[in-house]
Amino acid sequence: MVKRILVVFDGSRGDVQPYMVAAKALIMAGYDVMTSGPGDADALAKHFQVPFTRSRLSTGKLVADPEMQKAFAVNDMQGMMTAQDRIRDELVTPETRARDLGLLYQLLVEWKPDLVLT
């Protein structure tokens, strides 16, 4: 029977919160749950009292970017996509990708989940 569940996610608060709610429900149902995602999800995990470990880049820089905020304020989807692509190109390098995948691999090896949900 599945007892240890690792929930892996990416995104900002609107993406993260449903995963935290699901993780909390699984914990309340008796499962051993660990969540893993961008570092800025830590506060939300604490709020839901869900175990969390960082394995992805923070999304905070994306939403704090002036170009992104300007495009978001006027509902300029093309501007938002352009800003997102530029920021990801700056932040997601082969080195950061290798580091993040290494963190996730280490979590898988050390925590040994029975099931991984993404």
Side-chain angles (χ1 to χ4, degrees):
M1 172 152 178
V2 172
K3 288 304 258 175
R4 294 176 73 102
I5 301 174
L6 174 61
V7 180
V8 181
F9 53 84
D10 196 9
S12 60
R13 183 183 177 109
D15 303 302
V16 171
Q17 193 163 356
Y19 286 103
M20 292 298 172
V21 170
K24 184 67 174 185
L26 288 166
I27 290 169
M28 292 173 69
Y31 293 94
D32 188 8
V33 177
M34 173 66 71
T35 60
S36 183
D40 42 8
D42 185 52
L44 200 56
K46 286 178 182 169
H47 172 77
F48 281 96
Q49 299 176 332
V50 172
F52 173 80
T53 187
R54 180 205 167 283
S55 66
R56 301 206 190 279
L57 289 170
S58 169
T59 57
K61 287 190 177 186
L62 177 63
V63 296
D65 181 74
E67 183 182 330
M68 174 62 88
Q69 290 178 351
K70 181 179 175 183
F72 192 78
V74 295
N75 201 26
D76 175 6
M77 292 302 290
Q78 183 62 43
M80 286 185 261
M81 297 305 293
T82 300
Q84 179 177 331
D85 290 345
R86 178 185 51 77
I87 294 164
R88 288 199 187 234
D89 287 347
E90 291 172 8
L91 297 177
V92 181
T93 65
E95 293 80 17
T96 60
R97 190 53 149 163
R99 182 198 65 215
D100 288 352
L101 289 173
L103 290 170
L104 187 55
Y105 177 77
Q106 182 179 0
L107 179 60
L108 289 167
V109 168
E110 292 176 4
W111 202 68
K112 297 177 178 37
D114 299 307
L115 178 66
V116 178
L117 302 175
T118 61

